[in-house]
Amino acid sequence: MSLDAAFLTALLLSTLRQTTPLLLTALGGMFSERSGVVNIALEGILLFGALTAAVVVERLEAALGPGPHPWLPWVGVLAAMGVGGLVAFVHALVSIKYRADQIISGTALNLLALGAPSLVLTYFYGNATSSKEVANRLPLWGPEGFQLSPLVYLAFLLVPLTWWVLFKTPFGLRLRAVGEHPEAADTLGVNVYRMRYTGVVLSGILAGLAGAYLAIGFLNQFVRGMSAGMGFIALAAMIFGKWHPVGILFSTLLFGFASALAIQLQGTEILPAVLVQAFPYVVTVLVLAGFIGRSRPPAAVGKPYEK
Amino acid sequence: MRLELDPAPSLGKTLLTYLAFLLLTLLLLGGLFALYGVPPLRAYGVLLSPLADPLGLAEIARRTIPLLLIGAGLTLAFRVGFFNIGAEGQLLLGAVGAAYAALFLPAGPWTLPLMFLLGGALGGLWAGVAAWLRVRFGANEILTTLMQNYLAYYLVVYLVAGPWKGQFVFGFLYTDRFPEVARLPRLGDTLVHWPTLLLGVGAALGLQLLLFRTPLGFSWRVLGENPSAARYLGLKEGRFLALAALASGALSGLAGVGEVAGIHQRLLEPAQISLGYGFTAILAAWLARGRPGLVLLTAPLLGLILVGGDALKLAYSMPFRVVDVVAGLLLLGLVGAEALARHRLVWRR
């Protein structure tokens, strides 16, 4: 193996593909935590989104015939975003309205996400591990030899967009205010609850989008446990990125690059397979431990607001 | 109409709220069963059927053992404010320690105690890493322990497929069977490895006493309920936090020893060693409301759900993971109930 142009291109493409679901989820997590709600259910929402996209597209294919339907995967994407938002809404309801422990609520939803797919898969496909492959995946855009899913472009476009929303709009200012000092925001007439609902549901929509990318962009089916901790890694990347879109861009790129490098080196003599698989998790622990000493979360994160 | 904090909810109201939410959860689950073509009442009958025969009860006891050990430790860790979500990984490390002592250290009457010692130590160490990272560097322990779950998983996969792969197991991914001295005794023909069960009961009762009857327990409780008061009292926050983390990790490690020494008698693939006990035990701990002794009730309850899931799988060929749906919905319902019970509806703005 040599470090030739083909290898570097493959590595770059792979990095962008690996970064996409992390970036989408981490940006989502940012909205939730900036509003003051910890959302560890994002891991489960990734799975729910992936399951929804794969099953919706496959079912529609079964009803309409396989023949190419360019619009069909987008229906799957929208459905995944909807389901993601819905699951996040449950988390919001439990942790904002009922002021329950956000970690426990997230754990409950993650447990559901472990169990629900096998029920749905058995119902439709008679096995508990994977869905039938779909014929209509998301398309690939870009010049010959450098083709990527539209969701990859979208994820990177969302970085400036979320930055603008968070720091240049009244909505962003209010969102950050309720995460830092809900009492003060409330006094100024900001509806704390509504802002928090919005932040959490946005995080679910983005994680659902990331799940759709996994199922019908990256692969063409749902596979049990396909998120493999990506939701948690995204949360670590969000912390490492200091709850800021640009920081999150670089931290998720780091994780994406680590995964891509490991994948590219897989099967070579350099790295045994098991080390390759463990690599992203080791990087996550190191990142959480080594560099983030001075990063500060939103002051009111994790605390229910009592009007 | 709005919710207001109810400073002193009456017992009746609390019970009623819980009952209402439990019913709601059961209704929701029933709807799920019905969608699946299984009459809900029959499904609940099957879910509870293990209670009716001795073999079912033995199965519940077997599933209760790891939940009891892990749940007792997690109750302590959560109470002190260390969110250990990595019991699954700590359990696997315990299994690794047990397998090492059983397969590679000289055998003798000391083998079983040594397995527990080594397994507990490795489990504690695994949690200790997260505790150290939190105390020293401020790393979020929820995420580090979660990541360590994956690392433990791959460690076991590596061991059983690589250096520790048995000589007599053909294509299978597990170690050789443990020698006779490294197998735990069981009750009759059942899979109930009673020494581990005793350890679990002892852990729950011991931690209960430790938490409510000793100076150490007092410090733990102060730290959990009011960290700034703890600092004011001059408590070494990090030290107490780490101690609770180590204890919960060690107990999860012991659970791992029990699973491999009492049931499988070899180290095998992670998904076969544990049915996600480390996650289910989070429920057991949360339901115990910060009292390790109460895990003696909550662990068998969740054990029943696990065994009932098996029964559902046999009776209606539902996937076994339906138990996660049952557990997840139950937890969500109880979380809602708990929160609502602390509040009252006020009919004015």
Side-chain angles (χ1 to χ4, degrees):
Chain A
M1 186 195 71
S2 63
L3 281 175
D4 52 20
F7 174 80
L8 287 178
T9 312
L11 186 62
L12 177 61
L13 283 173
S14 182
T15 300
L16 296 177
R17 279 194 292 261
Q18 295 292 327
T19 303
T20 298
L22 294 174
L23 183 54
L24 288 170
T25 311
L27 288 174
M30 177 188 74
F31 278 112
S32 180
E33 296 219 347
R34 281 281 188 172
S35 81
V37 181
V38 177
N39 190 355
I40 66 164
L42 288 179
E43 170 76 11
I45 294 176
L46 263 176
L47 284 173
F48 276 118
L51 179 74
T52 307
V55 171
V56 163
V57 172
E58 194 280 330
R59 286 287 90 189
L60 282 173
E61 275 175 1
L64 301 168
H69 305 290
W71 51 272
L72 221 166
W74 296 103
V75 177
V77 168
L78 286 179
M81 290 165 74
V83 167
L86 203 69
V87 178
F89 179 76
V90 174
H91 180 63
L93 193 71
V94 173
S95 48
I96 299 168
K97 179 151 191 203
Y98 295 131
R99 305 173 180 102
D101 188 314
Q102 296 165 10
I103 303 301
I104 295 296
S105 163
T107 303
L109 289 170
N110 284 337
L111 265 177
L112 271 180
L114 280 182
S118 48
L119 276 181
V120 174
L121 293 175
T122 314
Y123 186 80
F124 285 120
Y125 310 108
N127 79 74
T129 49
S130 65
S131 73
K132 220 156 106 188
E133 294 184 7
V134 300
N136 296 282
R137 304 171 29 164
L138 284 165
L140 289 171
W141 290 354
E144 192 63 35
F146 201 89
Q147 293 193 309
L148 291 163
S149 170
L151 295 191
V152 177
Y153 299 104
L154 176 65
F156 286 91
L157 279 178
L158 276 176
V159 173
L161 187 67
T162 52
W163 175 83
W164 180 75
V165 168
L166 204 57
F167 295 106
K168 295 291 165 201
T169 64
F171 167 79
L173 178 66
R174 287 177 195 144
L175 191 83
R176 286 181 287 131
V178 301
E180 288 292 342
H181 203 313
E183 292 81 5
D186 197 3
T187 314
L188 291 174
V190 177
N191 187 330
V192 176
Y193 296 141
R194 189 190 298 158
M195 292 316 293
R196 289 194 166 176
Y197 273 106
T198 313
V200 177
V201 169
L202 266 178
S203 77
I205 290 174
L206 286 173
L209 185 63
Y213 172 74
L214 287 181
I216 59 172
F218 195 70
L219 290 181
N220 53 2
Q221 62 179 155
F222 175 84
V223 183
R224 203 181 128 75
M226 73 188 307
S227 62
M230 261 182 215
F232 302 131
I233 294 180
L235 287 176
M238 174 199 70
I239 296 173
F240 186 39
K242 297 187 194 299
W243 292 267
H244 190 289
V246 177
I248 288 172
L249 170 67
F250 286 112
S251 63
T252 51
L253 272 172
L254 171 76
F255 283 109
F257 178 71
S259 310
L261 192 66
I263 291 167
Q264 293 297 315
L265 296 179
Q266 199 162 20
T268 66
E269 297 291 308
I270 301 174
L271 228 59
V274 69
L275 272 185
V276 170
Q277 286 159 326
F279 198 46
Y281 309 111
V282 176
V283 174
T284 309
V285 172
L286 289 180
V287 158
L288 280 169
F291 305 96
I292 60 151
R294 273 150 300 280
S295 92
R296 193 185 65 83
V301 81
K303 295 190 196 95
Y305 179 59
E306 205 79 54
K307 204 180 162 97
Chain B
M1 188 190 99
R2 41 174 292 216
L3 286 169
E4 240 176 35
L5 205 64
D6 189 345
S10 69
L11 186 66
K13 183 193 143 195
T14 309
L15 284 179
L16 213 67
T17 320
Y18 273 93
L19 210 66
F21 267 80
L22 197 65
L23 273 177
L24 196 74
T25 312
L26 290 182
L27 258 158
L28 216 66
L29 267 173
L32 212 71
F33 287 136
L35 255 171
Y36 224 77
V38 180
L41 284 179
R42 294 262 291 282
Y44 283 124
V46 173
L47 198 64
L48 295 178
S49 64
L51 284 174
D53 73 305
L55 275 179
L57 285 175
E59 267 302 284
I60 295 175
R62 171 206 162 184
R63 305 278 188 218
T64 299
I65 296 171
L67 295 174
L68 194 57
L69 276 164
I70 302 172
L74 289 185
T75 309
L76 171 72
F78 292 167
R79 175 136 198 172
V80 179
F82 184 82
F83 286 97
N84 180 3
I85 316 284
E88 187 75 7
Q90 292 142 23
L91 178 153
L92 290 176
L93 261 281
V96 167
Y100 182 78
L103 294 170
F104 303 109
L105 294 181
W110 55 81
T111 296
L112 275 171
L114 197 63
M115 287 163 77
F116 276 109
L117 212 66
L118 201 58
L122 276 185
L125 182 79
W126 208 231
V129 169
W132 180 69
L133 290 175
R134 160 153 173 203
V135 173
R136 178 76 181 75
F137 301 104
N140 179 324
E141 77 275 16
I142 297 169
L143 292 172
T144 47
T145 51
L146 274 165
M147 292 299 120
Q148 286 178 286
N149 283 341
Y150 293 97
L151 292 177
Y153 176 92
Y154 286 116
L155 174 69
V156 174
V157 169
Y158 167 72
L159 288 175
V160 296
W164 289 10
K165 189 172 185 307
Q167 291 175 296
F168 313 105
V169 299
F170 308 103
F172 293 106
L173 295 184
Y174 40 66
T175 64
D176 286 324
R177 203 160 173 223
F178 292 171
E180 197 77 50
V181 287
R183 299 178 202 163
L184 281 168
R186 301 168 179 163
L187 277 181
D189 290 337
T190 68
L191 288 172
V192 183
H193 40 109
W194 57 267
T196 328
L197 183 60
L198 287 184
L199 270 180
V201 174
L205 293 177
L207 283 184
Q208 176 80 18
L209 285 179
L210 205 60
L211 198 53
F212 290 97
R213 293 275 180 275
T214 66
L216 171 65
F218 177 74
S219 308
W220 268 338
R221 281 182 290 140
V222 173
L223 185 60
E225 267 134 57
N226 196 340
S228 43
R231 271 188 293 273
Y232 195 67
L233 286 173
L235 290 181
K236 295 253 189 309
E237 193 181 351
R239 203 171 293 175
F240 286 102
L241 204 73
L243 202 58
L246 285 175
S248 78
L251 288 174
S252 307
L254 293 185
V257 178
E259 290 309 295
V260 291
I263 298 195
H264 309 293
Q265 305 181 335
R266 50 170 40 116
L267 190 69
L268 27 66
E269 283 182 278
Q272 285 178 288
I273 298 176
S274 167
L275 291 173
Y277 294 127
F279 297 108
T280 314
I282 295 175
L283 270 81
W286 187 81
L287 288 174
R289 334 279 23 230
R291 290 177 181 78
L294 278 187
V295 176
L296 288 171
L297 296 177
T298 60
L301 178 74
L302 289 162
L304 167 66
I305 292 178
L306 286 180
V307 181
D310 262 336
L312 271 176
K313 181 180 165 185
L314 283 177
Y316 295 111
S317 57
M318 294 184 93
F320 172 72
R321 284 289 149 202
V322 69
V323 300
D324 288 324
V325 177
V326 176
L329 279 181
L330 211 61
L331 182 60
L332 216 53
L334 290 172
V335 169
E338 194 243 354
L340 203 61
R342 279 188 285 111
H343 292 82
R344 60 182 165 205
L345 283 175
V346 181
W347 296 94
R348 55 173 164 75
R349 277 204 62 92

